[in-house]
């Protein structure tokens, strides 16, 4: 891990591994009760690693705590506890919000099947549509 010191803070830029495919920026902080919380920005392709580091360095001095830039591989992405916040957020959704989310997923998978040149990605999108019971099964 490389630690980049700024004027009043620091950035922890974790080293990219051979099998890393995503990068994510994590911001540390505390909630109203004083408990430590970690907030994550969205996953970006690993090709955006340097841009993530550059952004973190540019923002470090206005943040109260160090910023972490973390590359992730497929195994990291499949860690079950990683999806707990998503599952909790979906559980709190209303029926209307879940319906809107489902429509967005269906639309996205249809666009992938229409526009993607990689047959494996199209097959994955089709499998998702099958799981959502959007396709006709005889």
């Amino acid at each position: 891990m490389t630690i980049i010191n700024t004027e009043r803070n620091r950035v922890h830029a974790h080293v990219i591994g051979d099998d890393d495919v995503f990068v994510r920026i994590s911001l540390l902080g505390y909630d109203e009760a004083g408990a430590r919380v970690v907030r994550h920005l969205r996953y970006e392709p690993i090709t955006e690693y340097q841009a993530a580091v550059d952004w973190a360095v540019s923002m470090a001095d206005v943040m109260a705590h160090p910023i972490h830039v973390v590359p992730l591989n497929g195994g990291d992405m499949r860690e079950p506890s990683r999806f707990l916040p998503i599952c909790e957020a979906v559980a709190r959704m209303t029926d209307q919000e879940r319906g809107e989310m489902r429509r967005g997923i269906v639309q996205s998978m249809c666009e992938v099947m229409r526009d993607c040149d990689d047959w494996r990605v199209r097959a994955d999108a089709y499998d998702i549509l099958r799981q959502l019971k959007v396709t006709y099964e005889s």
Side-chain angles (χ1 to χ4, degrees), residues 113-132:
M113 288 185 59
R114 181 190 67 202
D115 299 334
C116 185
D117 294 331
D118 188 339
W119 67 268
R120 291 171 291 232
V121 175
R122 287 194 315 269
D124 288 343
Y126 180 75
D127 286 341
I128 291 169
L129 290 171
R130 285 184 59 218
Q131 290 172 20
L132 292 172

Side-chain angles (χ1 to χ4, degrees), residues 14-136:
H14 297 250
V15 178
I16 298 175
D18 294 335
D19 58 347
D20 289 333
V21 292
F22 291 105
V23 63
R24 180 175 68 181
I25 296 173
S26 298
L27 307 169
L28 304 177
Y30 294 89
D31 64 11
E32 300 80 27
R36 183 177 169 173
V37 294
V38 180
R39 291 187 171 76
H40 304 289
L41 302 186
R42 69 176 181 239
Y43 295 103
E44 295 288 342
I46 197 65
T47 54
E48 298 298 316
Y49 177 82
Q50 189 57 51
V53 170
D54 294 343
W55 181 87
V57 168
S58 74
M59 295 301 295
D61 287 335
V62 298
M63 297 295 183
H65 303 285
I67 300 174
H68 293 262
V69 179
V70 183
L72 301 161
N73 62 31
D76 296 330
M77 300 300 295
R78 289 188 293 274
E79 174 65 31
S81 63
R82 178 171 309 285
F83 298 103
L84 189 57
I86 296 169
C87 293
E88 290 170 350
V90 171
R92 288 191 303 269
M93 287 180 173
T94 65
D95 289 342
Q96 182 178 358
E97 291 169 330
R98 276 193 296 277
E100 289 173 17
M101 181 178 68
R102 185 178 193 281
R103 283 188 291 280
I105 292 168
V106 169
Q107 180 179 347
S108 295
M109 293 304 101
C110 289
E111 289 172 0
V112 166
M113 288 185 59
R114 181 190 67 202
D115 299 334
C116 185
D117 294 331
D118 188 339
W119 67 268
R120 291 171 291 232
V121 175
R122 287 194 315 269
D124 288 343
Y126 180 75
D127 286 341
I128 291 169
L129 290 171
R130 285 184 59 218
Q131 290 172 20
L132 292 172
K133 301 189 183 326
V134 174
T135 61
Y136 176 74

